[in-house]
Amino acid sequence: MNNLIFSMYFRLEDDELDKEDYNKNVFSRDQQDYYQSHLMLNKISYSKKNNCDFILFDDTDDLNNFSKQFDSDIPKYVKINFYKLHLLDKLAEEYNNILYLDHDVYINKHENIFTSLDTNKIHIWYENVKKEMLSYIHLYNDRDLYSRSYVSKCLSSYLASYSFDWKIDYKKYNTGIILSNSEQIKKLKFQKYFKFLVDHYKMIYCNLDIPESLRKKFVLNNEALFANIVAEEKINVENLNGKWHTMLTGDKSKETFDTGDSNFYHFINKEFKWILSDSRSQ
């Protein structure tokens, strides 16, 4: 059995950052850049401890080649997030078991995830948001959505399902951590769905069966497409919550981090200074 952990790191320039909540995105970019080496070494240490390969993907040329499939107006961060699913699909040809970690994931304990969890399933964090999304559609659809919000992603997944006659999944997924084996990853048929979506997504904006207030809010998003694929291919997904994917989203998350109970901390808030201020990182 050959196991792999992989991650990515691409620094975005100022003009490549999402203009929506720009200052927050500048902070996130700068924090990841400053702590880049520490986060990489953390993952290398874990992979050595558990006798598996580690690859950090940072080849801009390869990313740019992949990105040629998109229209020129698609933001770079959107392309990067689809790129990780492209890599996951590609690496399934070489490795038996694969763990993907976003660059902002910090490994707190060396417990071996490959032996602790059943890789015959796809492990990924999710939560059912059917109630929230339907409430937005029926009651609040005149309100703007933050493009990276879970409701926005779920709405985009829903609009694609409706337009392309795909099955509907009302779950929100976070692709910051994904674990599975090659057989299950191949069942996602990522390249098939990705190519179809990139070639046809503009049809959604023109679908007169969908109210304009909704269809104009469609955005290309890797987690939205992941939901489409899971529903359409009836993928066996296990919720990766608790100690294997603890998300830190605000200042109050410091208390969660300080308990030290989790194996993997996902620093969505990018407060990496908490790591260096803690003896566990030494």
Side-chain angles (χ1 to χ4, degrees):
M1 282 286 179
N2 56 340
N3 299 332
L4 170 72
I5 299 171
F6 81 96
S7 188
M8 306 182 302
Y9 179 68
F10 297 98
R11 188 185 189 280
L12 297 178
E13 300 303 325
D14 289 351
D15 60 350
E16 295 173 329
L17 293 170
D18 188 2
K19 300 302 181 285
E20 199 175 11
D21 210 353
Y22 181 74
N23 289 337
K24 176 182 176 182
N25 293 325
V26 170
F27 173 81
S28 296
R29 187 272 313 275
D30 291 348
Q31 291 301 298
Q32 290 202 86
D33 191 48
Y34 185 79
Y35 291 99
Q36 193 267 339
S37 295
H38 189 86
L39 293 166
M40 180 181 65
L41 291 172
N42 171 253
K43 295 172 180 64
I44 291 173
S45 174
Y46 181 83
S47 63
K48 287 183 176 179
K49 204 82 172 178
N50 291 295
N51 194 30
C52 59
D53 291 346
F54 174 76
I55 302 174
L56 176 72
F57 288 91
D58 58 359
D59 185 342
T60 303
D61 289 340
D62 191 56
L63 173 64
N64 289 340
N65 187 52
F66 169 78
S67 299
K68 291 176 183 178
Q69 301 172 82
F70 294 92
D71 291 332
S72 59
D73 61 338
I74 300 301
K76 187 174 181 179
Y77 69 85
V78 172
K79 299 171 185 175
I80 290 171
N81 279 317
F82 276 106
Y83 182 62
K84 68 182 173 187
L85 295 182
H86 161 74
L87 290 174
L88 184 70
D89 178 74
K90 182 179 177 180
L91 291 165
E93 299 294 335
E94 303 176 44
Y95 289 89
N96 298 115
N97 300 301
I98 301 173
L99 171 66
Y100 169 76
L101 299 173
D102 267 359
H103 184 63
D104 58 1
V105 172
Y106 174 74
I107 302 171
N108 184 52
K109 297 181 181 180
H110 283 134
E111 181 180 351
N112 192 335
I113 193 171
F114 294 106
T115 57
S116 298
L117 299 180
D118 180 8
T119 57
N120 287 309
K121 301 175 182 178
I122 292 182
H123 297 266
I124 185 171
W125 183 96
Y126 66 80
E127 186 173 282
N128 193 308
V129 291
K130 180 177 182 179
K131 181 179 178 181
E132 293 89 338
M133 194 189 71
L134 293 180
S135 292
Y136 178 81
I137 290 174
H138 296 301
L139 300 174
Y140 308 111
N141 60 69
D142 58 332
R143 298 182 183 178
D144 290 336
L145 280 174
Y146 177 45
S147 64
R148 298 200 203 185
S149 70
Y150 281 121
V151 173
S152 173
K153 296 171 185 179
C154 292
L155 178 61
S156 294
S157 179
Y158 178 85
L159 293 172
S161 294
Y162 186 88
S163 298
F164 305 134
D165 196 27
W166 291 340
K167 294 180 178 64
I168 298 171
D169 191 329
Y170 291 101
K171 298 183 185 69
K172 61 181 182 181
Y173 292 90
N174 186 296
T175 56
I177 303 175
I178 306 173
L179 170 73
S180 195
N181 64 25
S182 59
E183 181 181 355
Q184 298 304 313
I185 292 168
K186 290 175 184 177
K187 288 180 180 178
L188 292 171
K189 301 177 184 175
F190 171 73
Q191 301 299 341
K192 167 190 169 183
Y193 285 97
F194 170 70
K195 183 173 182 359
F196 181 88
L197 183 65
V198 169
D199 289 346
H200 297 91
Y201 76 92
K202 289 183 179 178
M203 293 171 58
I204 298 172
Y205 300 124
C206 304
N207 190 340
L208 298 181
D209 291 335
I210 303 172
E212 183 182 6
S213 62
L214 292 175
R215 66 176 187 261
K216 70 180 183 180
K217 293 185 174 74
F218 174 83
V219 293
L220 282 174
N221 181 273
N222 80 102
E223 291 170 346
L225 178 60
F226 189 89
N228 292 131
I229 295 173
V230 167
E232 188 68 10
E233 294 296 329
K234 300 177 181 178
I235 302 295
N236 185 10
V237 174
E238 188 78 11
N239 200 349
L240 189 67
N241 53 17
K243 69 179 184 178
W244 290 109
H245 193 167
T246 298
M247 285 184 260
L248 305 175
T249 57
D251 291 338
K252 292 183 179 179
S253 296
K254 180 69 163 65
E255 297 175 10
T256 301
F257 178 72
D258 285 343
T259 63
D261 293 334
S262 292
N263 292 348
F264 294 170
Y265 286 106
H266 190 179
F267 276 82
I268 294 173
N269 61 8
K270 308 299 184 287
E271 293 287 353
F272 302 119
K273 62 185 179 183
W274 297 349
I275 300 170
L276 296 182
S277 66
D278 190 282
S279 59
R280 284 174 289 145
S281 67
Q282 305 303 316

